[in-house]
Amino acid sequence: MTTRTTPDPGPLLVDDPSPVGWPTGLMLLGGLGFVSVYVVAVLSTRGQSLDTGLMEAATVTGDRHDLLSSLLPDPYLLLGVALGLGALALLRDLRTGLAVLVAVPLLVASTQVLKDVLPRPHLADPWAMANSLPSGHTGAALALALALVLVSPRRLRPLAAVVGTGVSAWMGALVVMLGYHRPSDVLASMLLAVGAGGLALLVRGSRAAR
């Protein structure tokens, strides 16, 4: 009696050279989440009122404001470090370096462009002011966090994620407590970072499994 064996598919099914599902999902999540936050927090009266109220409740003044202001990380320095990590990664892994050098500038630039072009109707704010969503400071911190995770080897990624999350959370909390940004501005930057992370994984492709 002759038996037939099923050929072993080998590593082809494990290491998909075009893993687009997960990165695309992150990009959609970040984009749709950003739009939702903008609509609720900026284009609605109740959203504006709640958002501004939370910022005013958290804002500090006097000596505490001066102290926290001195502890605010320099966003240009964070961006420079993130781009430097991407440039160094090019020497070790071209796709990883490209992922950083594509996603990081796009994330930071989007925080500045969107802040300038998106309208903020005067609905519930006690004073008229320009749109501040998303937060550029928080975007720079998140860009560093993204770069750290992308360039770190697998065994160090948890530590990189903790460090990056800590820097981003610190920046986000400070800009609200200093009265520079509303909570929705910080949340919007986080969602943009999710989308940028998806784009980075798409650029890096199957090397994300390393």
Side-chain angles (χ1 to χ4, degrees):
M1 181 177 180
T2 302
T3 60
R4 301 177 62 185
T5 59
T6 302
D8 184 1
L12 295 180
L13 297 180
V14 178
D15 189 15
D16 181 6
S18 302
V20 298
W22 178 246
T24 301
L26 289 176
M27 292 169 66
L28 288 174
L29 175 63
L32 294 176
F34 177 87
V35 172
S36 299
V37 169
Y38 174 70
V39 170
V40 172
V42 178
L43 300 184
S44 73
T45 301
R46 178 169 296 184
Q48 277 197 14
S49 177
L50 177 61
D51 201 26
T52 301
L54 289 174
M55 180 188 68
E56 292 178 340
T59 299
V60 299
T61 58
D63 293 340
R64 293 177 61 192
H65 185 281
D66 295 339
L67 174 61
L68 291 181
S69 181
S70 67
L71 298 176
L72 186 70
D74 184 346
Y76 295 104
L77 176 61
L78 299 183
L79 174 59
V81 173
L83 292 175
L85 290 173
L88 290 175
L90 287 173
L91 304 176
R92 178 174 60 90
D93 188 324
L94 178 62
R95 293 287 292 273
T96 296
L98 288 176
V100 175
L101 295 179
V102 168
V104 163
L106 182 61
L107 169 58
V108 175
S110 66
T111 62
Q112 301 304 314
V113 173
L114 290 171
K115 189 186 318 184
D116 290 337
V117 302
L118 291 177
R120 182 181 182 88
H122 185 58
L123 301 176
D125 291 332
W127 56 85
M129 60 184 301
N131 177 51
S132 59
L133 181 148
S135 165
H137 282 75
T138 309
L142 289 164
L144 175 60
L146 179 60
L148 284 172
V149 172
L150 286 170
V151 304
S152 297
R154 175 175 292 181
R155 67 181 184 278
L156 295 180
R157 283 178 196 164
L159 176 60
V162 170
V163 172
T165 300
V167 173
S168 301
W170 178 248
M171 179 72 89
L174 282 182
V175 294
V176 174
M177 295 174 68
L178 291 170
Y180 296 162
H181 282 283
R182 302 170 178 84
S184 65
D185 302 344
V186 174
L187 178 57
S189 291
M190 292 171 59
L191 290 165
L192 288 177
V194 170
L199 176 62
L201 293 178
L202 196 62
V203 173
R204 190 167 65 170
S206 61
R207 297 178 185 272
R210 289 186 174 183

